[in-house]
């Protein structure tokens, strides 16, 4: 039985959607580790709440600015009363009670602190390369603590140009929460944090051209960007449904002919892709980053030329070629909580073996 301390992302309380896909990953991994009999304690910003994971240690303090807003050459920014620093001060105090600490924040500090801790730290990196200070500290930590840096996908890991293979853990979801739907309505879905790097405007443009209604779900992280997209396509058949619970979200998603994924950046994974597959919904995505490693082109969706709205439109017209049950089967084979738990448990044990060695 492992005693694990999970230290959360620093950009928002868990459960608010501000932490994007890594919130769902942290929740699923914690749940699966507990199911396997391991002890998991989560440390997160005050206001965090997960339905079936009570007793999250709530830490006060100012949130980190999102790493996506950093320019490549920017210095590391840590606010005075930093929730990130406060979470890691807590981890320092209690570390002796745990076998392994797992970091889910995409921030410089936890990597820098690694050598100061007596317990090993597993760093789960949740995005591709964004700025130099982060690339540097990740590379230093990878070199010094071999095997302790984990990624979602190979294409994401490649953006850091490390000299060796690193564990690629993928993702996974509780498939019992997603209901297969064989007969969709005439509508499309777009899911995710509403922010420039997610390229929502292309999905709206495709809806505008095909006149197929587009259901949009997710946290509006960048209000100005959202207003810009709506203003650019005033007549587009779009409907914003908000940031919904998994249960409400999949009720909407499962009815759709396809999920559109329009990442502008190297999407580290794209949890929304496996949520769609679990409902039997094919995924139409730019051939970029995580989704390009998830979607089986022509079988469980289509991969199109990045940033090509016409590519999205052509794929939408072909969507009936995809067998929706094949989509569900791929989710069951590759992205179940059991498969996820196996990958993470192996990673944790490999780190512990090396650290005792
Ligand atoms: N930015 N500074 C910072 N720290 C994070 O942990 C972080 C972030 N931006 C986005 C983010 N985490 C998550 O939404 C993604 O990792 C999924």
């Amino acid at each position: 039985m492992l005693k694990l301390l999970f230290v959360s992302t620093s950009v928002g309380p868990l459960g608010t959607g501000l932490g994007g896909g890594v919130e769902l990953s942290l929740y699923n991994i914690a749940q699966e580790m507990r199911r396997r009999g391991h002890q998991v304690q989560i440390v997160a910003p005050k206001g965090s709440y997960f339905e079936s994971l009570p007793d999250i240690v709530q830490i006060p303090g100012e949130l980190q600015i999102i790493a996506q807003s950093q320019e490549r050459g920017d210095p590391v920014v840590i606010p005075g009363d930093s929730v990130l620093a406060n979470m890691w001060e807590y981890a320092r105090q209690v570390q002796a009670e745990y076998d392994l600490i797992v970091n889910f924040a995409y921030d410089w500090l936890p990597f820098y602190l690694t050598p100061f801790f007596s317990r090993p730290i597993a760093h789960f990196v949740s995005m591709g390369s964004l700025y130099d200070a982060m690339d540097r500290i990740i590379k230093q930590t990878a070199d010094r603590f071999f095997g302790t840096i984990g990624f979602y996908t190979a294409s994401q890991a490649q953006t850091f140009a490390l000299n060796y293979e690193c564990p690629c853990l993928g993702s996974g979801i509780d498939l019992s929460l997603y209901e297969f739907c064989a007969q969709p309505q005439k509508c499309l879905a777009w899911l995710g944090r509403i922010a420039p790097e997610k390229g929502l405007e292309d999905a709206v443009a495709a809806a505008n051209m095909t006149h197929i209604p587009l259901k949009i779900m997710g946290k509006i992280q960048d209000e100005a960007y959202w207003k810009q997209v709506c203003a650019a396509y005033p007549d587009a058949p779009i409907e914003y449904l908000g940031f919904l619970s998994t249960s409400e979200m999949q009720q909407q998603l499962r009815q759709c002919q396809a999920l559109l994924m329009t990442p502008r950046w190297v999407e580290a994974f794209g949890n929304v892709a496996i949520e769609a597959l679990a409902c039997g919904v094919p995924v139409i995505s730019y051939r970029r980053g995580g989704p390009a490693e998830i979607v089986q082109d022509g079988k469980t969706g289509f991969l199109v030329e990045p940033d090509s709205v016409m590519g999205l439109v052509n794929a939408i017209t072909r969507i009936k070629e995809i067998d929706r049950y094949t989509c569900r089967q791929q989710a069951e084979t590759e992205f179940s909580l059991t498969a996820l738990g196996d990958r993470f448990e192996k990673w944790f044990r490999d780190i512990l073996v090396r650290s005792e060695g």
Side-chain angles (χ1 to χ4, degrees):
M1 185 268 275
L2 299 177
K3 289 177 278 182
L4 304 166
L5 184 69
F6 282 14
V7 186
S8 156
T9 172
S10 57
V11 291
L14 293 173
T16 62
L18 284 171
V22 82
E23 277 190 37
L24 187 65
S25 294
L26 190 157
Y27 174 80
N28 284 334
I29 297 154
Q31 203 190 28
E32 180 57 16
M33 287 300 132
R34 284 189 171 166
R35 193 185 65 78
R36 291 169 180 230
H38 301 302
Q39 194 187 328
V40 179
Q41 176 59 61
I42 299 173
V43 186
K46 199 158 51 66
S48 290
Y49 174 74
F50 272 149
E51 185 122 334
S52 61
L53 284 182
D55 70 35
I56 292 176
V57 172
Q58 313 270 336
I59 301 289
E62 206 176 322
L63 298 174
Q64 281 296 118
I65 59 163
I66 57 170
Q68 298 92 308
S69 65
Q70 303 254 186
E71 299 300 325
R72 288 225 69 96
D74 279 356
V76 174
V77 176
I78 297 184
D81 176 22
S82 157
V83 70
L84 179 70
N86 296 342
M87 287 195 289
W88 282 91
E89 168 51 20
Y90 175 84
R92 185 191 64 78
Q93 287 170 14
V94 303
Q95 61 180 311
E97 298 163 32
Y98 298 93
D99 301 311
L100 180 69
I101 301 168
V102 188
N103 168 41
F104 286 85
Y106 190 97
D107 286 292
W108 181 86
L109 184 66
F111 290 86
Y112 177 73
L113 291 176
T114 305
F116 294 89
F117 272 68
S118 62
R119 281 290 183 278
I121 301 176
H123 294 281
F124 182 64
V125 178
S126 61
M127 293 184 283
S129 161
L130 286 175
Y131 64 99
D132 299 345
M134 196 60 186
D135 292 1
R136 185 185 161 86
I137 196 75
I138 286 178
K139 183 159 176 21
Q140 279 174 354
T141 312
D143 290 347
R144 190 163 169 187
F145 300 95
F146 185 72
T148 64
I149 313 287
F151 298 92
Y152 277 119
T153 60
S155 44
Q156 172 208 0
Q158 272 146 28
T159 64
F160 292 95
L162 302 172
N163 312 324
Y164 32 73
E165 290 285 297
C166 280
C168 291
L169 291 311
S171 184
I173 50 177
D174 179 348
L175 294 168
S176 68
L177 302 178
Y178 301 83
E179 248 177 299
F180 176 71
C181 164
Q183 301 299 336
Q185 311 289 317
K186 193 166 174 52
C187 59
L188 298 163
W190 188 93
L191 296 181
R193 279 181 301 109
I194 295 177
E197 67 269 15
K198 299 285 186 177
L200 172 59
E201 64 274 19
D202 288 5
V204 174
N208 204 34
M209 287 178 77
T210 58
H211 307 297
I212 300 176
L214 177 69
K215 292 178 185 284
I216 299 168
M217 290 167 269
K219 183 85 184 171
I220 298 181
Q221 185 162 61
D222 185 326
E223 191 69 43
Y225 168 69
W226 169 239
K227 287 194 167 47
Q228 228 177 339
V229 173
C230 295
Y233 300 94
D235 309 324
I238 63 173
E239 184 189 0
Y240 176 58
L241 300 174
F243 174 66
L244 306 179
S245 67
T246 297
S247 153
E248 294 162 329
M249 180 277 287
Q250 71 91 28
Q251 277 295 343
Q252 297 291 333
L253 173 58
R254 61 193 292 274
Q255 301 170 36
C256 296
Q257 289 177 310
L259 171 73
L260 300 184
M261 293 188 75
T262 53
R264 283 275 182 266
W265 63 346
V266 175
E267 183 73 33
F269 186 75
N271 274 314
V272 297
I274 61 179
E275 294 187 288
L277 295 176
C279 296
V281 177
V283 176
I284 294 172
S285 173
Y286 289 152
R287 187 188 301 279
R288 187 182 266 155
E293 297 186 36
I294 296 168
V295 179
Q296 295 168 4
D297 193 19
K299 278 190 66 192
T300 58
F302 294 108
L303 294 172
V304 308
E305 190 210 335
D307 308 322
S308 161
V309 173
M310 276 322 293
L312 297 175
V313 170
N314 293 338
I316 291 166
T317 61
R318 296 178 53 200
I319 203 62
K320 287 191 173 57
E321 293 172 30
I322 304 295
D323 172 355
R324 290 171 69 93
Y325 191 61
T326 308
C327 298
R328 171 74 193 192
Q329 283 175 315
Q330 183 187 3
E332 288 175 357
T333 313
E334 291 182 48
F335 303 114
S336 68
L337 278 185
T338 313
L340 177 74
D342 290 348
R343 295 192 292 263
F344 268 86
E345 186 163 0
K346 181 180 181 319
W347 183 40
F348 293 160
R349 291 191 185 285
D350 289 350
I351 292 172
L352 288 172
V353 162
R354 264 195 220 98
S355 73
E356 282 137 21

